[in-house]
Amino acid sequence: METMIAFTEQSEAVLARESKRSDLNMVERINFESALKITQVIAANLKVFEKKVKTIKVDPNHPTPKPHHPLHLTVADFQKIETRLIQLQKEITQLELSKSKTEQTRIINEIETAIAYINANLPKLKTELKRKDLTLQDQIIFEMGTKLGPILVKDLKEQEIKVKTIKTH
């Protein structure tokens, strides 16, 4: 909270200084002034929020919630790879027309990196899934990752074969 307040205060100072520059055109001046006003509102709201947070009494007997498991990010990365696979399919179609060797190499490297990342993290997800103390959310997320990973690897390998068969110059 203190970091966010300090950041907004620093931003406020920079925006105030920049909005007073004499070399700005009208649009730039308006943009700086608008950003300054928004930053001032955010800073004021953060200060009010900080005061409210400080008044909350914490019950020492109440357990603190567990932070998100780091492997949640891995499953999110699997989903990003899935999205990137769709984009790669379009790039592969373009590669079939351009027949660029550098483009082919780049796509193959990207696919191989994604496959290696998935293969490196699947055992970790499977191990975590065996734990008995998982929350339902963790269990669902890890199970999704263990199901999505092999499907992605299969699809990525199919695309890799397709790219490697394209004759480039």
Side-chain angles (χ1 to χ4, degrees):
M1 181 66 68
E2 292 167 358
T3 305
M4 291 180 353
I5 291 172
F7 176 75
T8 54
E9 288 172 347
Q10 289 172 354
S11 299
E12 197 175 332
V14 170
L15 289 168
R17 184 185 70 234
E18 291 295 313
S19 67
K20 293 176 184 168
R21 286 184 14 215
S22 60
D23 63 331
L24 297 177
N25 65 35
M26 189 172 85
V27 173
E28 291 171 328
R29 187 174 313 284
I30 290 170
N31 285 339
F32 275 120
E33 289 172 357
S34 296
L36 176 60
K37 288 178 182 162
I38 291 169
T39 304
Q40 289 169 337
V41 170
I42 291 171
N45 287 339
L46 283 172
K47 289 174 185 172
V48 169
F49 186 69
E50 181 184 36
K51 287 178 185 173
K52 288 181 180 179
V53 167
K54 287 182 178 179
T55 62
I56 296 173
K57 292 192 178 18
V58 178
D59 181 4
N61 297 326
H62 189 277
T64 56
K66 287 197 306 189
H68 288 295
H69 198 287
L71 287 176
H72 286 199
L73 297 175
T74 301
V75 176
D77 288 342
F78 284 11
Q79 292 168 330
K80 289 176 188 172
I81 291 170
E82 181 179 29
T83 303
R84 182 66 185 126
L85 177 60
I86 294 167
Q87 295 168 342
L88 276 174
Q89 289 169 338
K90 293 175 186 171
E91 290 178 24
I92 291 168
T93 303
Q94 291 173 350
L95 175 66
E96 290 172 334
L97 300 173
S98 72
K99 304 207 183 286
S100 167
K101 181 69 174 170
T102 56
E103 189 67 14
Q104 182 185 38
T105 304
R106 185 192 61 77
I107 291 172
I108 290 171
N109 288 341
E110 189 171 344
I111 289 172
E112 288 174 347
T113 302
I115 291 171
Y117 179 80
I118 293 167
N119 286 336
N121 284 292
L122 270 176
K124 295 175 194 171
L125 287 171
K126 289 177 181 175
T127 301
E128 285 297 309
L129 195 55
K130 292 176 185 173
R131 288 183 32 210
K132 301 294 182 205
D133 64 336
L134 290 177
T135 65
L136 182 60
Q137 179 187 14
D138 288 343
Q139 197 172 4
I140 290 169
I141 290 172
F142 296 158
E143 196 162 314
M144 183 175 70
T146 58
K147 301 287 190 239
L148 180 60
I151 293 169
L152 279 174
V153 168
K154 180 180 97 31
D155 292 346
L156 286 164
K157 285 183 179 180
E158 287 173 5
Q159 294 304 313
E160 182 180 29
I161 291 168
K162 185 176 180 181
V163 170
K164 286 181 176 178
T165 59
I166 296 172
K167 301 225 185 287
T168 59
H169 51 269

